[in-house]
Amino acid sequence: MHAWLCENPTGVDALTWKELPTPAPGPGQVLIEIRAASLNFPDLLIVQNKYQIKPPLPFVPGSEYAGIVQSVGEGVTHLKVGQNVACLSGTGGFATHTLAPAALCMPLPEGFGHVDAAAFIMIYATSWHALMDRAQLKPGETVLVLGAAGGVGTAAIQIAKAAGAKVIAAASTDEKCELCRSIGADATINYTTHALPGGFRDAIKAATDGKGPDVIYDPVGGDFAEPAFRSIAWRGRYLVVGFASGPIPSLPLNLTLLKGASLVGVFWGDFAKREPKANAQMMAELAHWYGQGKIKPVIDSTMQMSQLKAAYAHMGSRGVKGKLVMVN
């Protein structure tokens, strides 16, 4: 097998493409021949030693991937050789093969392709857990999605629309705003032309007829958090999803009082560990929605696994719309 190996987590440039012995699965594991692996923001942080999880060195980055089961370890009964699966295990994806915990593998129904499957679990599980579980989104409510043209943003638009909500999508270019409208957004805000903080707040007010959004989905953080929260509706729920802009914002807590609003943390990874039955039900429902055509990952582009460093550079340029997927 071959893999991108991180032996020194100083950044993308330190990754090396190496030939390694193909491992045999241990108890509870499966060996997967990887056909596709998506690039997520944590995949950048982890090779810079900035992610909350710091795997022992050396490790193979690539948190999310899909492929074909090649062999199964002792005690694995729900997966078979030749079966198509997707997995989000945190590491191992940027390779030709990997060992994966069988319990984390999602069997793929007929017609669920590897590229879509590699771009599915993280963004849709995060967005469903945020909107449907943590925010208890109701039909007819208004959702403002920040960073709306990215992976979790596009997933949030689709899930909110399928749940009967009105969606306002905020993104940084007209092209990204057009993408958001094409997948269901009812209105868009280009926050480059509606400058922070006043122009951005004015645009939110105009898009919600002065009421403000009931739910704000924020994977961006930074300078957007406070003006967005100041614009929230009475009894609104502000979903803290991530900090793609870099800085972790501070909010004046009196705003929660004045708005009767809630700050709600979203940590799907821990939800999946602490509430596995609820997570399994959620994933089954998401797979059903995919089969019905209600949701489908937006794929920016596919690139050969050998082009991983160029893919990282593309992601770092903020030009990605949806998900980047590496293929073998």
Side-chain angles (χ1 to χ4, degrees):
M1 62 170 282
H2 283 78
W4 283 101
L5 207 60
C6 181
E7 297 170 291
N8 184 16
T10 58
V12 176
D13 289 342
L15 296 176
T16 52
W17 182 246
K18 290 196 172 183
E19 184 174 1
L20 302 169
T22 304
Q29 293 182 321
V30 293
L31 176 67
I32 297 174
E33 179 190 337
I34 296 171
R35 293 296 179 88
S38 66
L39 194 56
N40 294 287
F41 189 58
D43 298 320
L44 176 60
L45 296 179
I46 203 167
V47 300
Q48 298 172 332
N49 206 34
K50 293 179 180 178
Y51 195 51
Q52 58 255 41
I53 298 167
K54 301 188 187 327
L57 298 174
F59 68 91
V60 178
S63 54
E64 185 176 25
Y65 46 88
I68 303 168
V69 175
Q70 294 294 294
S71 57
V72 301
E74 181 185 345
V76 177
T77 56
H78 69 291
L79 297 174
K80 299 180 175 62
V81 172
Q83 190 167 9
N84 291 302
V85 296
C87 186
L88 197 158
S89 60
T91 57
F94 298 147
T96 58
H97 298 75
T98 194
L99 291 179
L104 297 183
C105 291
M106 173 185 173
L108 298 179
E110 192 72 28
F112 204 143
H114 291 123
V115 170
D116 276 1
F120 189 81
I121 298 176
M122 181 176 286
I123 61 172
Y124 286 101
T126 297
S127 296
W128 176 290
H129 175 53
L131 293 166
M132 308 304 290
D133 184 4
R134 301 295 285 134
Q136 295 289 301
L137 180 64
K138 301 174 185 66
E141 290 191 312
T142 298
V143 178
L144 170 63
V145 180
L146 304 182
V152 290
T154 53
I157 291 170
Q158 294 176 1
I159 288 171
K161 287 304 297 179
K166 176 185 176 182
V167 176
I168 302 162
S172 61
T173 68
D174 288 341
E175 185 183 15
K176 289 180 177 180
C177 288
E178 178 55 38
L179 166 69
C180 294
R181 286 190 292 271
S182 75
I183 61 171
D186 299 283
T188 57
I189 298 171
N190 181 335
Y191 44 66
T192 301
T193 55
H194 295 86
L196 289 167
F200 184 53
R201 289 198 65 197
D202 289 344
I204 296 172
K205 188 175 182 179
T208 59
D209 297 322
K211 175 178 175 288
D214 300 292
V215 175
I216 297 176
Y217 181 99
D218 182 9
V220 179
D223 293 337
F224 291 93
E226 186 169 332
F229 197 91
R230 287 185 181 276
S231 303
I232 204 166
W234 176 253
R235 289 185 182 269
R237 289 88 76 200
Y238 193 102
L239 297 167
V240 181
V241 181
F243 312 103
S245 71
I248 296 176
S250 299
L251 288 173
L253 285 182
N254 66 309
L255 294 177
T256 62
L257 182 154
L258 294 170
K259 294 285 189 173
S262 303
L263 273 172
V264 184
V266 178
F267 189 2
W268 166 70
D270 242 37
F271 162 72
K273 292 174 186 173
R274 293 169 182 265
E275 303 176 44
K277 286 185 179 179
N279 183 65
Q281 290 173 345
M282 176 186 75
M283 294 310 302
E285 184 68 16
L286 284 169
H288 183 62
W289 275 20
Y290 178 87
Q292 292 179 315
K294 290 182 178 180
I295 57 176
K296 182 177 173 60
V298 174
I299 306 299
D300 178 272
S301 56
T302 58
M303 302 173 71
Q304 291 297 314
M305 192 67 76
S306 60
Q307 297 176 286
L308 180 63
K309 291 186 179 182
Y312 268 114
H314 183 31
M315 185 176 72
S317 74
R318 305 287 183 190
V320 175
K321 298 181 289 296
K323 293 288 287 282
L324 270 174
V325 179
M326 315 309 297
V327 295
N328 283 316

